[in-house]
Amino acid sequence: MKSRDLIYWTAARVDLTRRFRGYRHMGIAWAPEAFYDPCHRRMMVYFATRMGTGCNSLVYSYADPAFRTLMTTPRPLFASPRAGKSVVDGDITCVGNRYQLFLSTDDGAGNIRQAVSNRLIGSYVYDPTKVDPETVGTEAPMVWRRHGTDTHVLMYDVYAAKPNNMGSSETTDFRTFRAIGRFNDPGSPMKTTNFTSPKHGAVVAITPSEASRLERYFGRR
């Protein structure tokens, strides 16, 4: 989906099995994200997929300028270094000259790990250290920076919690992570306002003028 004002959106559906010959026997494709590639000056879409019933891995493809379809055959971005294991839900954040790739694995309870590269499309070095504090299954990591600080927040879907919830940790060095808590937990600063049972959350940075426009528009409704 694409929007120029965050109010009106246009959507496009890309059927990979029809678009790319090598994906006719694709088992699934999910959790897409987009990232601007400064070297190619194009939007890169990356997502998890598998062939048949095999393991999931992350692949990427470049979108057309109008962001309506994918133009290039998906190519490998990252796969689990452990045979027979899957990685899904990739989220890339550029910090300085390093690309931090967070992902969900089936490498035991509490599934969020990270890999690092000095290139957007390059050899990501996998760190098997679990970075989330949860003792139950997690997925869908998403990183965002606190405005005006060097602190980044790692948010993730605690899908195995009953009921499911979103958890967060914060870091300044991407080596140590301090747990913030889940939405509405006692003592947690993470509070819900107009939603319940959040899933696969995302945070988008906006400007003050964009915030004012959204407040004016939705305040009338």
Side-chain angles (χ1 to χ4, degrees), residues 72-153:
T72 62
T73 300
R75 301 185 63 184
L77 179 66
F78 186 83
S80 173
R82 295 187 60 188
K85 297 295 183 179
S86 288
V87 295
V88 298
D89 300 347
D91 179 80
I92 297 174
T93 299
C94 184
V95 182
N97 60 353
R98 292 158 60 92
Y99 291 92
Q100 309 279 160
L101 169 61
F102 284 83
L103 41 85
S104 175
T105 78
D106 51 9
D107 239 356
N111 297 328
I112 307 303
R113 308 290 201 277
Q114 64 176 323
V116 182
S117 175
N118 59 7
R119 294 184 295 137
L120 175 60
I121 301 170
S123 299
Y124 281 87
V125 178
Y126 179 67
D127 184 348
T129 305
K130 184 170 80 72
V131 297
D132 68 277
E134 304 291 341
T135 58
V136 296
T138 54
E139 62 184 9
M142 193 274 171
V143 174
W144 49 276
R145 183 176 65 86
R146 292 191 184 278
H147 181 68
T149 75
D150 293 327
T151 298
H152 286 76
V153 176

